[in-house]
């Protein structure tokens, strides 16, 4: 396959740059199908910018963002005592205070 130098326009700065035959051969050998859209200086600047920006996929080294815990006031369906729960009660199921919930949970475990 024969390659010839091409003049392309940079997406970022709008300047023309040459996509050389050697670069085209390299791209073909690597299996790249798209031509570069940035000139070498804008490509280098973008790489620098991307290396300094926090990465999306790698959050292991970033401390988790602390969210404020929201509690909702409800009345226990079993004993009638007012309590708080960490979820939005929808009204489709009964909501219990922690002691009634643990008591009911213990009864279910005994049945199995």
């Amino acid at each position: 396959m024969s390659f010839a130098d091409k003049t392309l326009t940079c997406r970022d700065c709008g300047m023309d740059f040459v996509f050389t035959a050697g670069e085209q051969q390299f791209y073909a050998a690597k299996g790249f199908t798209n031509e570069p859209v940035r000139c070498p200086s804008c490509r280098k600047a973008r790489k620098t910018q991307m290396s300094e920006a926090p990465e999306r996929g790698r959050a292991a080294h970033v401390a988790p963002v602390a969210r404020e815990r929201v509690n909702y006031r409800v009345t226990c369906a079993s004993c009638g005592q007012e309590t708080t729960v960490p979820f939005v009660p929808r009204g489709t199921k009964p909501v219990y205070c922690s002691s009634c919930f643990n008591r009911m949970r213990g009864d279910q475990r005994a049945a199995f």
Side-chain angles (χ1 to χ4, degrees), residues 68-90:
E68 185 178 330
R69 175 171 268 177
V70 179
N71 287 319
Y72 300 90
R73 290 188 171 278
V74 295
T75 302
C76 176
S78 179
C79 69
Q81 180 182 1
E82 189 173 303
T83 188
T84 58
V85 292
F87 58 88
V88 179
R90 304 216 189 288

Side-chain angles (χ1 to χ4, degrees), residues 7 18 22-24 31 37 47-48 50 54 56 58 61 65 67 69 74 76-77 93 96 103-106 108 110:
T7 302
V18 178
E23 289 173 324
Q24 292 176 47
V37 293
K47 278 185 182 180
T48 303
M50 294 302 285
R56 287 185 221 159
R58 288 185 173 176
H61 65 280
V65 177
R67 288 190 277 163
R69 175 171 268 177
V74 295
C76 176
K93 293 183 179 179
Y96 302 102
R103 192 173 334 110
M104 292 180 65
R105 191 171 172 196
Q108 287 179 350

Side-chain angles (χ1 to χ4, degrees), residues 1-6 19-32 36:
M1 192 168 180
S2 172
F3 298 101
D5 289 357
K6 289 183 182 180
F19 185 36
T20 65
E23 289 173 324
Q24 292 176 47
Q25 190 174 4
F26 174 80
Y27 272 53
K30 292 291 185 180
F32 301 148

Side-chain angles (χ1 to χ4, degrees), residues 3-53:
F3 298 101
D5 289 357
K6 289 183 182 180
T7 302
L8 303 174
T9 304
C10 179
R11 170 192 288 179
D12 291 348
C13 68
M15 298 294 292
D16 289 341
F17 67 97
V18 178
F19 185 36
T20 65
E23 289 173 324
Q24 292 176 47
Q25 190 174 4
F26 174 80
Y27 272 53
K30 292 291 185 180
F32 301 148
T33 56
N34 298 327
E35 296 177 341
V37 293
R38 292 179 179 85
C39 66
S41 60
C42 288
R43 234 180 289 158
K44 185 177 179 180
R46 182 164 166 84
K47 278 185 182 180
T48 303
Q49 179 186 20
M50 294 302 285
S51 68
E52 292 172 354

